[in-house]
Amino acid sequence: MREDLKCEIIFRREIAPNQIELILKNRRLAQEARPGQFVHIAIENGVNILRRPISICDSFMENTRIIFEIKGEGTRWLAERREGDVLTLMGPLGNGFSIEPGKRAFVIGGGIGTFPLYKLCKTLNKPEIFLGFRNKDMVVMENEFSMTGNLHIATDDGSYGYYGFAITLAEEKIDGCDIIYACGPRPMLKAVKALAEKYGKKAQLSMEERMGCGIGACLVCVCKTTTGNRQVCLQGPVFDADEVIFD
Amino acid sequence: MNTKVNFCGIEFDNPVLTASGTYGFGLEYDQYYNISQLGGISVKGLTLKEREGNPTPRIAETYGGMLNSVGLQNPGVETFKSFYLPKLKAEKTCKVIANIAGSTVEDYAEMARSLRDTAVDMLEVNISCPNVKNGGMAFGTDPKMVETITRAVKSQAAQPVVMKLSPNVTDITEMARAAESAGADGLSLINTLLGMKIDVRTRRPILANNMGGYSGPGVKPVAVRMVYQVARAVKIPIIGMGGIMNGEDAVEFMLAGASLVMVGTANFTDPFAALKVKNGIIDYMRRCGVEDVNELIGAVKPN
């Protein structure tokens, strides 16, 4: 049986402006988590009735790491938790990335969409990693990502790394790529799909939608695909790029 | 202590069911607890043909609840009959209510006909969905249409027929009486209240469909009031719902006149919500010396 897990916060810090990192202690969660999956966290402030889906950044032993951006009341409450506080959450949920061994992997991420790619990069064999951020202050986990593969950083304003989009960098090196894994803002994912099509590469995209139940019951968070509207929380969040329809 | 409730001739093990649209076909939540512990489930609203529903975003959180604009996405009644229903009936003992919807009167009749020779225990007729262009709420806000659809479904149905009423009306007792006079076996209320949320930064509504159905604890006082009014206006039994978060909320609905209750939005807050509501009712009965849950139905003492 699945459970609503109790997870103690054992570490908390603001990793970048408005972005909070928490390390949660729960053996079952850490052991079951796969790259690209998420947790559905109860906001126990007596006001917010919906949980917040947050992607898993990493997990090891009995610890799971999540990083999220403060966007509204719910994530603000979550950001105000302290070490020693206990969160209630469902997870790990969803279908994450499927690793294809032996393939030369490109990993493309943008903004807060870079976090769910970390555990993936650790699992892959020396991927080429292309991460895009707004500016120098928002560049996070640079050292950690660079230990897992060949890291290329781009910023929108040129204040750090390449001046432009991460995907432009990826296109320059596309000959060395068999498969692309991506997570980030919707326009970026749409561009990744186009890039994959242009060069005949396979790609997996982690899609984001506003969610309800988190387990496939309410049909709120659907992604338009070639086989109809599919549940992001259950059948996703990762879909093959050739299935996803961007309007 | 007795928790069994006889509703339209069907014996429910306990008065707690789950509300259509919040609980899929039950199997998702069955991974968290054995759903046979509930009185029953009302499955995702079904239509004759598969439906893709509305564009996303389909959900927006609001103070005291949420808005949804799913728009009846469902795999169609045939897939329900060939896959979900047999699985539910083979593995689970809770009652299965088929929630049915349509765009025309004939659609509703055909839905009832197609479910005649199935193991479905009861039909809940959705004439109150605020998220579809044709039918839905438009049917549930006109007493003549309520009567017409009730008659059409009753003429084809083999199971008891419960009409699900919309709160988006001036006088809900008028709709309730229309359903009763046309032969409805029971009523369920309330469906969601039509609502809207606007992002003040972008000046755009959050929902792709602009408007959606409001549910959650914020609607509870409205729902309790409507159950109370309807219970006084008709003789047929009522399934009450609208913002039930715990056992005491459920007891409130029963005191107002509901024989059964449904838990909806609370399932999103806590996957165990429906089970906790059931246990909460039992706790209340113990605390207050209530031997039979049926004693609670309509037992409010108005001032």
Side-chain angles (χ1 to χ4, degrees), chain A residues 1-4 42 47-52 90-91 93 209-213 215-222 227-230, chain B residues 21-24 28-34 44 52 56-59 61 63 65-66 70 73 206 217 265 268-272:
Chain A
M1 280 280 170
R2 281 185 163 274
E3 301 167 71
D4 216 6
V47 176
N48 294 94
I49 55 138
L50 294 177
R51 292 183 176 221
R52 294 298 183 274
M90 297 153 80
L93 299 175
E209 267 301 336
R210 286 173 182 259
M211 261 177 212
C213 69
I215 56 172
C218 73
L219 300 177
V220 155
C221 64
V222 295
T227 51
N229 282 339
R230 294 168 67 194
Chain B
T22 65
Y23 209 70
E28 296 83 0
Y29 285 94
D30 196 53
Q31 298 172 55
Y32 286 82
Y33 61 92
N34 184 353
K44 175 68 200 168
E52 287 291 342
T56 59
R58 295 176 170 182
I59 189 167
E61 195 174 35
Y63 197 81
M66 54 166 272
V70 172
Q73 181 176 339
I206 305 278
T265 303
F268 305 160
T269 313
D270 177 356
F272 295 91

Side-chain angles (χ1 to χ4, degrees), chain A residues 148-167:
Chain A
T148 66
N150 196 11
L151 177 64
H152 314 268
I153 288 181
T155 50
D156 295 350
D157 65 355
S159 55
Y160 193 76
Y162 176 77
Y163 185 4
F165 293 127
I167 194 165

Side-chain angles (χ1 to χ4, degrees), chain B residues 111-130:
Chain B
M111 286 294 297
R113 191 156 53 234
S114 80
L115 289 163
R116 272 193 76 85
D117 302 315
T118 67
V120 160
D121 295 288
M122 198 155 87
L123 303 183
E124 182 181 52
V125 185
N126 181 354
I127 49 167
S128 39
C129 178

